[in-house]
Amino acid sequence: MRIREKRMRSFVARGNMLVAEGKTPEGMKIIERGLQYYSDCVLDAVSPHANEDTVLIVLVLQHLVNEMDKCQPGVKELAEKMSKCIILPDLRAIVKMKKPNKQ
């Protein structure tokens, strides 16, 4: 039995399609849902992490922005504009202090 690859339909394309149809609030909700989805994916991927390493995660994310902007010029500016017209999700991180079990 093969495990199916998870493929997502574009949240931005679906949102833009609704905006073009004049359904702006619905389109923005879909884009916000996509932002929440990808935020959760990234947080799941980097959790758990050492509290002191949060700065490394921030650096990695900034590096990814710069590299993605090289591959798709204008993405960085579009993201800045988009962040002004949608509601950004709250960070749902729980801080738990535990002793490390890996070096």
Side-chain angles (χ1 to χ4, degrees):
M1 185 170 144
R2 279 181 43 170
I3 297 174
R4 294 189 88 172
E5 178 186 21
K6 190 175 186 178
R7 291 183 236 153
M8 296 297 297
R9 194 166 152 220
S10 171
F11 290 100
V12 173
R14 287 186 286 160
N16 285 341
M17 190 171 60
L18 287 171
V19 169
E21 293 173 1
K23 300 176 182 175
T24 302
E26 293 89 345
M28 298 311 281
K29 288 283 185 203
I30 287 181
I31 292 172
E32 288 169 6
R33 199 168 68 212
L35 186 58
Q36 184 66 59
Y37 171 80
Y38 288 116
S39 294
D40 290 343
C41 288
V42 170
L43 285 174
D44 287 345
V46 299
S47 295
H49 64 275
N51 199 34
E52 295 86 0
D53 288 348
T54 303
V55 67
L56 294 177
I57 294 168
V58 169
L59 287 173
V60 166
L61 293 173
Q62 288 174 341
H63 174 68
L64 289 173
V65 167
N66 293 332
E67 291 300 308
M68 288 178 173
D69 195 52
K70 286 180 189 175
C71 296
Q72 293 180 320
V75 166
K76 191 175 185 177
E77 290 80 20
L78 182 59
E80 288 172 8
K81 290 177 185 176
M82 190 180 282
S83 70
K84 294 176 183 172
C85 61
I86 61 173
I87 299 169
L88 299 171
D90 290 333
L91 178 64
R92 290 187 249 153
I94 299 169
V95 177
K96 293 181 182 179
M97 302 301 287
K98 293 183 179 180
K99 290 182 181 179
N101 59 4
K102 285 193 170 196
Q103 292 296 331

